[in-house]
Amino acid sequence: MNYYGQPGGQNGGPPPPQLYYPYGDDASPDEKKKIRRNFNTIGIVLLALYILTAAVCMTAYIFFAPDIVYNEYGQAVYGLADMIIGGCFPAAMAIIVFAVYCAVTGYSPGELFRTENLNGRQIGKYVMMTLFFQQVSMICTIIMSNGLYSLGLEVSGLNYVIERTPSVYAADIISAVILAPIGEELIYRGVVLRCAAKVSQRFAIFFSAFIFGIMHGNPYQFVLGFLLGIPMAIVTIKTGSLIPAIICHMANNALASIPSVVEYFNEDAAFAVNVITIPVFLILGLVVFASEAASGGLKLPSYTEFHKKRTFPVLVTSWSMILITVIYIADLIMSIQPIEEMPEMIEQTTRLILRS
């Protein structure tokens, strides 16, 4: 069981299977215990991923990454080793943790890649909505970044550029456009969303989006991850498959990476791409979003009093979820630091932020 299905019988499909059915008022102690165990499973998976990624990447940086080089604007210049360690390794760790999760729980990952409910037109709509939210996030990011800069603050770790060599660009594209969408979707829609949907699908949509956003460890990508996480969770619930969400994720990261690739050949053309893509995807995405909302295509699963008493009240008693949430929030807060040297081009940082 993947616990996605067709929410509330939408699109002519059957109601989704769930572990906890809407009968009775308060959850019994045994039921709370089962739900808490479900949330603890999510938290343990996230903690395992956090610890493994930190350990592997830190070790790799110590032994394999060269000393950091800075450009004339005070921005760190990342080379091939940085792209592989910082981009490819986290995605690989996510895939490994997901594989261990499946082995321990006996879950068949093939259920997450169903194709019978997939529709190319529907996927295209969600891709457009994802790119619409990306542009909204970029506007929010520019406003937030300028606000922080006016206070003498910046988000550390994001003010960097990549070395302009073919191998670095190739590693960046592979990690951002291929590996990261697969690895992250396996964890955040394949584990977090799926497990939370056992209790309430509507709660799972926003809960998984929140976790997806906050795990990035900085305020800019929190906004981006949360906004993108909502449509990607909805399409996963509707189709019962991770394939549409992976495609949406890849589209988001590809669009964010295009200006950097174009810049390699022509800096003026890269600026033109940025100028064009913002209004185009804002307008087209808004039209698609408004059309889907008007037609009922974005109707969410029900959220009853039964669900309310079995979601957040039980979630806050999960030790692993409390721990990983505190870690994520601490990372986000600590990412905001005083500016060491004012960068000249904020938009370079913005493009990197948009790859969620």
Side-chain angles (χ1 to χ4, degrees):
M1 296 289 185
N2 68 7
Y3 298 98
Y4 297 142
Q6 301 290 337
Q10 290 182 25
N11 301 327
Q18 292 183 291
L19 286 182
Y20 315 104
Y21 296 91
Y23 303 122
D25 296 323
D26 295 322
S28 67
D30 286 342
E31 188 179 11
K32 287 183 179 179
K33 185 177 180 180
K34 290 180 180 179
I35 298 173
R36 186 179 301 109
R37 186 183 302 121
N38 187 59
F39 284 128
N40 276 332
T41 297
I42 298 174
I44 291 170
V45 168
L46 296 177
L47 282 169
L49 177 60
Y50 185 93
I51 294 170
L52 181 63
T53 302
V56 171
C57 289
M58 287 179 64
T59 302
Y61 273 119
I62 292 172
F63 289 100
F64 301 107
D67 294 335
I68 299 176
V69 177
Y70 295 89
N71 63 14
E72 63 270 30
Y73 305 118
Q75 296 169 305
V77 180
Y78 284 4
L80 182 59
D82 297 295
M83 287 296 100
I84 294 175
I85 297 171
C88 299
F89 281 20
M93 296 308 104
I95 294 172
I96 291 171
V97 169
F98 178 77
V100 173
Y101 164 81
C102 290
V104 171
T105 62
Y107 180 68
S108 173
E111 292 190 27
L112 296 175
F113 295 91
R114 296 177 173 181
T115 58
E116 62 266 25
N117 291 327
L118 299 187
N119 179 285
R121 184 178 179 184
Q122 182 186 45
I123 295 174
K125 289 180 179 179
Y126 276 89
V127 167
M128 289 304 303
M129 284 188 279
T130 299
L131 298 180
F132 164 68
F133 282 118
Q134 183 200 58
Q135 305 314 310
V136 172
S137 300
M138 186 173 70
I139 294 171
C140 293
T141 296
I142 293 173
I143 294 172
M144 291 171 64
S145 61
N146 280 282
L148 286 175
Y149 285 130
S150 69
L151 297 173
L153 301 171
E154 67 175 350
V155 175
S156 61
L158 290 176
N159 184 23
Y160 70 92
V161 294
I162 62 176
E163 185 181 345
R164 298 182 64 178
T165 62
S167 60
V168 172
Y169 278 101
D172 186 42
I173 294 299
I174 292 172
S175 64
V177 182
I178 300 175
L179 295 180
I182 295 173
E184 291 180 2
E185 290 309 310
L186 287 173
I187 295 295
Y188 297 99
R189 254 62 65 180
V191 176
V192 178
L193 176 67
R194 173 183 170 272
C195 288
K198 295 177 182 179
V199 185
S200 166
Q201 289 185 324
R202 180 182 292 192
F203 173 82
I205 288 170
F206 293 99
F207 170 67
S208 62
F210 173 79
I211 294 297
F212 180 58
I214 201 171
M215 72 87 181
H216 285 89
N218 65 80
Y220 301 153
Q221 286 178 295
F222 166 72
V223 173
L224 174 67
F226 178 72
L227 290 179
L228 297 188
I230 294 173
M232 290 194 292
I234 292 175
V235 74
T236 303
I237 290 287
K238 281 182 173 292
T239 62
S241 174
L242 288 185
I243 294 174
I246 291 174
I247 293 173
C248 289
H249 202 149
M250 287 180 170
N252 171 80
N253 290 10
L255 185 62
S257 298
I258 286 174
S260 296
V261 176
V262 174
E263 186 180 40
Y264 176 74
F265 300 98
N266 188 305
E267 291 187 7
D268 293 333
F271 177 77
V273 168
N274 277 325
V275 171
I276 293 171
T277 55
I278 294 175
V280 166
F281 287 107
L282 268 176
I283 295 171
L284 292 179
L286 179 59
V287 169
V288 173
F289 177 77
S291 175
E292 279 294 286
S295 65
L298 297 178
K299 183 179 179 181
L300 296 175
S302 62
Y303 189 65
T304 66
E305 286 297 321
F306 166 85
H307 295 119
K308 292 178 182 178
K309 294 178 180 179
R310 289 159 172 80
T311 49
F312 189 75
V314 182
L315 174 65
V316 296
T317 66
S318 166
W319 68 267
S320 61
M321 281 308 309
I322 292 174
L323 180 57
I324 192 61
T325 302
V326 168
I327 292 173
Y328 286 157
I329 292 175
D331 283 347
L332 188 150
I333 294 173
M334 291 188 295
S335 72
I336 303 174
Q337 301 286 339
I339 296 175
E340 296 183 1
E341 185 173 348
M342 181 71 73
E344 183 171 302
M345 294 185 292
I346 296 175
E347 68 270 14
Q348 285 185 311
T349 303
T350 303
R351 288 204 301 268
L352 295 167
I353 292 168
L354 290 175
R355 296 179 303 180
S356 182

